[in-house]
């Protein structure tokens, strides 16, 4: 079979892989990208509802979960959200800030993929789709066997992402290869994922809440679904949630509920308590709370108890909706195995792991793409 020689082989043409390839290519390296799907950047295309929340204007290390919270700092500092915004601007892609620093394309996520491909092309990167990879072996160089031929390179970059959305082609390829090379894997589980809870009859109801799980708190929207809870506030705390753990929801964030109910009692004593609540939250949810009687009939102590329930609604999710619905995978290749500056495996010179496959997971809001860009760039600078 035909053996082709490259400096760098990147496995996986997603966000991190394409960024790494374009940087290495523009540095003059001969780069091959191998992708098993029929097209590149599929997750970019569906991200942000088709508009790609490509970064966050506040991409700080505290917004990332990892067994080593310091690991992400070096790559994030070397290629920041400002650098990515400059690239987007260079390609004249119009964008806007939606909320909480989240930056989206005005047009389409397709523009981000086109931008990455155009930069790859400027670096002479060879991108091949529909290549099924059999094995990766190392002697003096790396040999990568595929169903379309074998390739050799002095460096291999593993960039096949996480396990979420298997029907889109997500695989544990990077983790399997890493294990074979003796690298440890931090326990993986679905994250940024809806939680399953038995709260019947509320599907479609959405409200602004402060959701809490342990010490993590997020103020954003919460949505009731057929299977439980979703919406940004829930997706955010899902990354911190462990089986059996209780979560707490403040249904009236930023409001002193006890003071407000007592004030309404004084001003409108004949109003039904549930009518008052329906003025503060969606009516269907206020009905669900099943408080009865006029507010004036409730003693202040009872109103304080109602307020406490509204400020600290506790429930124990039965589980998550799993990788089929998770936006990302928590855990992955153990950061202790990698150099934080270059993402190179400490015990396997020439082997790099980047993007979501590494045990670095961002909050919802463009942080995961920023990690893909930053880690891809860091490796692309070195390979
Ligand atoms: P990514 O998944 O992008 O790329 C991996 C590539 O490897 C894919 O092209 C895949 O086909 C390929 N591959 C897999 N196995 C292979 C194998 N065995 N051989 C060869 N190739 C293989 N984040 C964010 O910041 N803002 C957002 O708006 C969103 N929105 C969003 C929506 C949805 C529905 C999902 C599922 C996820 C998001 N994300 C997001 C998360 C974001 O998409 C994710 O974190 C990055 O794409 C990760 O980049 P990677 O390059 O690491 O993996």
């Amino acid at each position: 079979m035909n053996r082709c020689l490259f400096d760098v082989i990147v496995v996986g043409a997603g966000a991190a892989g394409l960024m790494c390839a374009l940087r290495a290519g523009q540095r003059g390296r001969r780069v091959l990208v191998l992708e098993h799907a029929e097209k590149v950047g599929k997750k970019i295309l569906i991200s942000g509802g088709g508009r790609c929340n490509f970064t966050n204007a506040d991409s700080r290390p505290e917004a990332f979960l990892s067994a080593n919270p310091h690991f992400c700092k070096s790559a994030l500092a070397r290629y920041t959200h400002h650098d990515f915004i400059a690239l987007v601007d260079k390609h004249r892609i119009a964008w806007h800030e939606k909320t909480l620093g989240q930056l989206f394309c005005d047009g389409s996520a397709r523009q981000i993929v086109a931008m990455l491909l155009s930069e790859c092309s400027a670096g002479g990167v060879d991108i091949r789709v529909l290549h099924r990879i059999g094995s990766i072996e190392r002697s003096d160089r790396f040999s990568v066997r595929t169903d379309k031929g074998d390739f050799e390179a002095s460096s291999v970059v593993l960039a096949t992402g996480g396990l979420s959305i298997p029907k889109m082609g997500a695989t544990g390829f990077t983790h399997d290869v890493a294990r074979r090379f003796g690298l440890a894997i931090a326990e993986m589980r679905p994250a940024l994922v809806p939680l399953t809870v038995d709260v019947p009859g509320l599907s479609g109801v959405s409200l602004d809440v402060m959701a809490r799980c342990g010490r993590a708190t997020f103020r954003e929207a919460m949505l009731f679904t057929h299977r439980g809870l979703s919406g940004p506030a829930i997706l955010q705390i899902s990354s911190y949630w462990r089986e059996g753990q209780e979560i707490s929801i403040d249904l009236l964030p930023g409001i002193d509920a006890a003071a407000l109910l007592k004030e309404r009692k004084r001003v409108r004593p004949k109003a039904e308590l549930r009518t008052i609540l329906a003025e503060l939250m969606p009516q269907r949810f206020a009905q669900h709370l099943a408080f009865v009687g006029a507010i004036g009939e409730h003693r202040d102590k009872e109103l304080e108890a109602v307020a406490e329930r509204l400020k600290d609604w506790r429930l124990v999710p039965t589980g998550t909706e799993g990788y089929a619905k998770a936006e990302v995978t928590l855990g992955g290749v153990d950061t202790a195995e990698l150099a934080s500056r270059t993402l190179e495996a400490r015990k396997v010179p020439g082997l790099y792991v980047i993007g979501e496959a590494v045990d670095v997971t961002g909050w919802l809001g463009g942080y995961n793409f920023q990690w893909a860009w930053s880690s891809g760039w860091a490796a692309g600078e070195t390979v």
Side-chain angles (χ1 to χ4, degrees):
M1 257 210 209
N2 188 18
R3 266 183 199 272
C4 298
L5 190 60
F6 291 85
D7 294 319
V8 186
I9 296 175
V10 179
V11 185
L18 291 174
M19 176 56 87
C20 176
L22 74 84
R23 181 62 197 135
Q26 291 180 11
R27 282 179 48 239
R29 310 293 282 154
R30 284 167 300 158
V31 184
L32 171 70
V33 180
L34 294 173
E35 165 63 51
H36 74 161
E38 75 291 0
K39 61 180 177 190
V40 307
K42 278 167 103 176
K43 273 196 188 159
I44 302 175
L45 293 172
I46 59 156
S47 68
R51 290 224 162 93
C52 187
N53 176 195
F54 55 79
T55 191
N56 193 289
D58 190 18
S59 292
R60 58 196 190 284
E62 296 73 34
F64 294 85
L65 290 82
S66 170
N68 176 1
H70 302 293
F71 181 81
C72 62
K73 288 181 181 171
S74 174
L76 289 173
R78 292 180 78 194
Y79 189 84
T80 70
H81 56 273
H82 298 294
D83 294 315
F84 194 76
I85 293 166
L87 184 63
V88 167
D89 287 342
K90 178 182 143 197
H91 285 259
R92 300 180 187 282
I93 298 172
W95 54 271
H96 61 281
E97 180 173 336
K98 207 164 168 185
T99 172
L100 301 170
Q102 299 168 7
L103 307 188
F104 287 76
C105 298
D106 289 357
S108 158
R110 283 197 298 271
Q111 295 171 285
I112 298 293
V113 175
M115 173 188 85
L116 296 168
L117 288 177
S118 140
E119 292 285 332
C120 280
S121 160
V125 175
D126 185 345
I127 300 177
R128 304 198 193 179
V129 297
L130 287 172
H131 275 57
R132 193 189 304 264
I133 294 155
S135 65
I136 300 181
E137 272 147 38
R138 177 171 171 260
S139 48
D140 53 332
R141 281 198 286 265
F142 288 91
S143 305
V144 179
R145 286 176 186 280
T146 82
D147 59 349
K148 307 255 163 64
D150 298 347
F151 305 91
E152 287 192 357
S154 40
S155 302
V156 162
V157 183
L158 302 173
T160 64
L163 304 176
S164 49
I165 326 276
K167 74 171 188 229
M168 275 186 60
T171 68
F173 183 83
T174 290
H175 311 106
D176 295 341
V177 174
R179 264 189 214 103
R180 241 174 285 132
F181 277 101
L183 309 190
I185 308 291
E187 186 203 344
M188 293 188 282
R189 57 196 165 91
L192 299 181
V193 61
L195 297 173
T196 51
V197 189
D198 192 20
V199 205
L202 288 171
S203 176
V205 171
S206 165
L207 63 167
D208 177 36
V209 301
M210 179 84 86
R212 183 164 57 80
C213 181
R215 271 186 283 172
T217 56
F218 291 90
R219 180 167 178 180
E220 289 192 63
M222 175 176 84
L223 173 72
F224 288 89
T225 68
H226 290 292
R227 297 188 60 190
L229 298 173
S230 187
I234 296 300
L235 298 182
Q236 297 281 32
I237 61 164
S238 74
S239 301
Y240 294 85
W241 182 76
R242 290 281 181 169
E243 202 87 4
Q245 202 178 353
E246 187 175 64
I247 61 169
S248 158
I249 312 289
D250 179 349
L251 299 158
L252 295 174
I255 294 177
D256 181 341
L260 183 131
L261 292 177
K262 287 180 204 166
E263 186 266 341
R264 297 284 156 96
K265 172 180 164 181
R266 192 169 52 75
V267 181
R268 293 158 62 197
K270 295 212 167 74
E272 288 285 316
L273 178 53
R274 71 175 108 182
T275 307
I276 300 283
L277 293 179
E279 291 166 8
L280 302 168
M281 57 181 62
Q283 187 168 13
R284 268 169 71 203
F285 190 68
Q287 300 284 354
H288 168 83
L289 292 170
F291 293 119
V292 289
I295 191 165
E297 291 165 12
H298 292 271
R299 285 177 300 148
D300 281 1
K301 275 255 165 308
E302 288 165 0
L303 291 181
E304 280 163 18
V306 169
E308 192 167 328
R309 210 176 136 199
L310 298 174
K311 296 295 287 178
D312 187 18
W313 186 49
R314 290 176 186 229
L315 50 171
V316 180
T318 52
T320 76
E321 291 200 32
Y323 287 118
K325 290 284 168 64
E327 212 163 270
V328 288
T329 301
L330 207 67
V333 174
D334 196 321
T335 55
E337 303 283 8
L338 307 172
S340 64
R341 207 179 129 73
T342 60
L343 285 298
E344 186 174 17
R346 292 181 192 282
K347 49 191 176 214
V348 191
L351 184 71
Y352 295 74
V353 189
I354 57 174
E356 201 184 313
V358 180
D359 175 26
V360 173
T361 307
W363 289 347
L364 187 78
Y367 299 98
N368 285 297
F369 277 137
Q370 186 56 46
W371 171 246
W373 315 134
S374 297
S375 59
W377 179 272
E381 281 272 85
T382 318
V383 283

